[in-house]
Amino acid sequence: MSTLEQHVDVGVPIGEAWESLHRVENYPRFVDGLRDARTQAEGRAHLGVEAGGRSREFEAEVSDLEGEHVMEWHTTGAPGLTGSFSLQSIDEKRTRIQARLEYEPGTIRDTFGGPKGFAQANAIERLVRSDLEHFKEYVEQGR
């Protein structure tokens, strides 16, 4: 199992960042390859992804850690992905968003295609970094 952690500092208060993170239907605006996202009942989300020339549909369970500004998620089927977003107030106008992703490299390659080994880890790291930067632009522009 591989673990990736990245963070970005955004120029909005923690409450605003937290609220934006929970608007799953807006994820396609800042997550590369996500063409459809919608909230379903009981803490579930449906995601339509296009990556490596392949289209896939996923279901994920999403939960919040009470009072801690931590959103955890995991896919309910293949590929088995687990992750979280932790928000930490820097000051009253800035928030740090820490993204954590746990994945099995071989499963990611089989599902989405792409490189193997070190090149794959670098590609996933670049993708997560890019998505965080796009979220920063999204939330700071108040979209």
Side-chain angles (χ1 to χ4, degrees):
M1 183 72 68
S2 293
T3 301
L4 171 66
E5 291 186 4
Q6 293 276 328
H7 75 272
V8 67
D9 295 343
V10 298
V12 299
I14 193 167
E16 189 174 328
W18 185 247
E19 204 173 295
S20 294
L21 192 60
H22 281 80
R23 289 190 210 119
V24 173
E25 65 279 1
N26 290 333
Y27 280 27
R29 294 181 179 183
F30 54 85
V31 177
D32 189 40
L34 190 60
R35 66 183 192 318
D36 177 48
R38 61 186 177 276
T39 303
Q40 297 180 323
E42 300 179 19
R44 297 177 75 87
H46 176 84
L47 308 170
V49 178
E50 191 164 318
R54 301 177 184 176
S55 292
R56 299 280 192 249
E57 303 288 321
F58 300 102
E59 299 291 324
E61 290 184 357
V62 181
S63 61
D64 293 336
L65 293 180
E66 201 67 35
E68 295 185 33
H69 288 107
V70 176
M71 174 195 283
E72 295 181 329
W73 61 269
H74 66 273
T75 55
T76 58
L81 301 171
T82 301
S84 65
F85 296 100
S86 301
L87 280 66
Q88 186 175 47
S89 182
I90 297 170
D91 59 35
E92 59 186 47
K93 293 184 179 182
R94 295 182 303 145
T95 303
R96 175 162 290 158
I97 300 171
Q98 176 80 30
R100 179 182 174 94
L101 173 65
E102 294 178 12
Y103 64 97
E104 190 62 50
T107 302
I108 295 296
R109 182 169 180 356
D110 293 345
T111 303
F112 299 111
K116 289 184 177 181
F118 186 69
Q120 180 186 39
N122 283 340
I124 292 170
E125 185 174 324
R126 280 192 311 275
L127 182 62
V128 171
R129 165 61 41 208
S130 175
D131 290 347
L132 284 173
E133 290 297 329
H134 288 131
F135 179 75
K136 175 182 174 70
E137 292 170 14
Y138 166 80
V139 74
E140 288 179 350
Q141 293 174 5
R143 293 186 177 177

